[in-house]
Amino acid sequence: MKTIPVVTTETLAGYRITEHVGIVRGNTIRARHIGRDILAGLKNIVGGEINDYTKLMAESREQVLDRMVDEARALQADAIVSVRFTTSMLAQGAAELLVFGTAVKLEKID
């Protein structure tokens, strides 16, 4: 399967954008786990990183990126530019992670 570059910049070095295919996105909604919340509460008292939440967010980022790239592949895009992440609280203990960007067609610059 072809690798699709994903960048936060508006351009990709060495390439010219020939077509804007459209906006692509990926999202997930994750809920916290009561066991993790208890451990996080204890960690909050003594300080430090809450590893379970760090792992949950890392997994979520990979999942939404995969979903966005799948959408770009379906549009036969060559790359995704201007990528941004955002999060929002949806309910007590549940948050959405969203990534979006512009799917484009590219031409190599000689």
Side-chain angles (χ1 to χ4, degrees), residues 21-39:
V21 180
I23 295 172
V24 288
R25 69 198 62 77
N27 76 312
T28 188
I29 299 170
R30 295 289 180 111
R32 297 183 311 199
H33 181 276
I34 190 68
R36 288 180 177 160
D37 285 349
I38 292 169
L39 291 173

Side-chain angles (χ1 to χ4, degrees), residues 1-108:
M1 195 174 318
K2 177 180 137 183
T3 301
I4 294 182
V6 176
V7 298
T8 58
T9 57
E10 294 179 9
T11 60
L12 194 62
Y15 293 89
R16 177 182 308 112
I17 293 174
T18 60
E19 182 182 347
H20 289 86
V21 180
I23 295 172
V24 288
R25 69 198 62 77
N27 76 312
T28 188
I29 299 170
R30 295 289 180 111
R32 297 183 311 199
H33 181 276
I34 190 68
R36 288 180 177 160
D37 285 349
I38 292 169
L39 291 173
L42 294 172
K43 191 65 133 174
N44 199 24
I45 293 169
V46 297
E49 181 178 5
I50 303 170
N51 292 324
D52 285 339
Y53 287 160
T54 300
K55 183 179 176 186
L56 177 67
M57 290 307 295
E59 290 169 354
S60 297
R61 279 190 300 275
E62 289 303 314
Q63 184 179 48
V64 299
L65 277 169
D66 288 345
R67 289 176 178 176
M68 180 181 65
V69 168
D70 288 345
E71 194 172 315
R73 278 195 179 105
L75 296 172
Q76 298 180 340
D78 297 322
I80 306 170
V81 297
S82 300
V83 172
R84 303 291 183 265
F85 281 91
T86 184
T87 59
S88 60
M89 187 95 157
L90 294 178
Q92 182 65 29
E96 177 186 37
L97 180 60
L98 171 70
V99 64
F100 57 94
T102 304
V104 296
K105 296 274 194 175
L106 300 172
E107 176 180 277
K108 188 142 181 79

